[in-house]
Amino acid sequence: MQKILIVEDEEKIARFVELELKHEGYDVEKAYDGRTGLALAENGGYDLILLDIMLPGINGIEILRRIRRSSDVPVIMLTARDAVMDKVSGLDMGADDYITKPFAIEELLARIRVTLRKNSASAADTKSAVLHCCGLTLDSNRFKVTYNGVPIELTAKEFALLQTLMQNKNIVMSRDSLLTNVWGYNYIGETNVVDVYIRYLRQKIDEKFKTKIITTVRGVGYVIKED
């Protein structure tokens, strides 16, 4: 049975969603404030988290940031505000999807099914669970990256970008392709975001370890080359 955590301070909404999820066959736990939600999330064991943005104690964006330090558990953000920055902040921090309140329960259930299917397909792809290239080791199950055994701290988006480049080593990836693979088709934001995050990776890997992992192909995109 798949287990879902609901972190939502509006108890009526949380209870309603809980009943619907249990009716669909899910195991459900609830938290009504940010600190309790974070404590439960960090204990792990959940297949998906429904996370409200506006929470007492610790807000949803901060909870997501802390979760993504060590876990890639699927997270769907819930927000009462239909503001672009809420969505962008959540997606940039590593959310898998978002839904704006009030929502139709059928739509929420559909989004949950899609997100869980994507996660199951990704977990089943064992060839990409642990990647090795140019001294780098990337473990997607443990959300861990090392260079010659030295840990590298990455954000969720940095991790996803590096993973995409390593999965396609020796293949030049265009900016549009990287944008689609890492940020998704519905990304709303600056078009130079790929270049910005490549710079972040270079600061944490190339510059820190005095090496050259990521190569720019002028006018095309980026590649990690390995002979």
Side-chain angles (χ1 to χ4, degrees):
M1 182 182 294
Q2 292 175 306
K3 191 174 181 180
I4 296 177
L5 172 64
I6 302 170
V7 187
E8 165 61 67
D9 65 324
E10 296 186 51
E11 295 189 20
K12 289 184 179 179
I13 293 178
R15 179 59 177 162
F16 171 67
V17 173
E18 177 189 29
L19 292 174
E20 291 293 334
L21 290 175
K22 286 185 173 180
H23 180 72
E24 293 293 318
Y26 298 105
D27 185 14
V28 182
E29 289 189 8
K30 305 189 303 297
Y32 299 125
D33 65 86
R35 296 190 185 280
T36 303
L38 178 61
L40 289 172
E42 288 182 332
N43 285 333
Y46 298 101
D47 295 288
L48 184 140
I49 298 174
L50 296 176
L51 180 60
D52 189 24
I53 288 182
M54 301 299 292
L55 291 166
I58 305 175
N59 67 51
I61 297 296
E62 177 61 18
I63 292 173
L64 178 60
R65 186 184 70 82
R66 297 189 192 185
I67 290 173
R68 285 292 179 257
R69 289 175 179 173
S70 58
S71 173
D72 59 355
V73 60
V75 176
I76 297 177
M77 305 297 293
L78 308 176
T79 175
R81 296 182 298 170
D82 192 16
V84 171
M85 286 311 301
D86 281 343
K87 300 172 184 177
V88 171
S89 296
L91 292 172
D92 278 348
M93 200 60 67
D96 295 85
D97 199 357
Y98 63 84
I99 189 166
T100 302
K101 296 185 289 184
F103 50 79
I105 191 62
E106 293 82 4
E107 180 183 2
L108 177 60
L109 292 173
R111 288 175 181 264
I112 289 172
R113 288 192 295 269
V114 168
T115 302
L116 287 172
R117 279 200 300 269
K118 287 181 179 178
N119 191 60
S120 296
S122 176
D125 188 5
T126 55
K127 71 185 179 84
S128 64
V130 180
L131 302 172
H132 302 279
C133 181
C134 305
L136 290 169
T137 298
L138 182 148
D139 187 337
S140 60
N141 289 333
R142 300 168 61 194
F143 199 77
K144 182 179 180 181
V145 177
T146 61
Y147 179 76
N148 290 335
V150 180
I152 302 170
E153 296 292 331
L154 299 179
T155 66
K157 279 293 182 283
E158 291 166 354
F159 186 95
L161 179 56
L162 180 62
Q163 182 179 35
T164 300
L165 289 167
M166 290 179 69
Q167 286 172 334
N168 296 277
K169 65 182 179 182
N170 297 321
I171 299 173
V172 179
M173 301 288 290
S174 69
R175 289 172 176 81
D176 286 343
S177 179
L178 290 170
L179 193 65
T180 298
N181 277 276
V182 178
W183 282 267
Y185 290 100
N186 297 319
Y187 172 74
I188 303 172
E190 297 294 332
T191 57
N192 69 337
V193 67
V194 173
D195 302 314
V196 171
Y197 276 81
I198 288 289
R199 186 168 70 250
Y200 293 160
L201 286 177
R202 282 175 168 159
Q203 289 171 349
K204 294 183 177 183
I205 302 173
D206 296 30
E207 295 177 15
K208 179 177 180 179
F209 297 102
K210 304 296 188 276
T211 185
K212 185 175 182 180
I213 301 293
I214 302 170
T215 300
T216 301
V217 179
R218 189 179 297 276
V220 182
Y222 300 97
V223 61
I224 289 180
K225 295 180 180 179
E226 185 174 61
D227 295 333

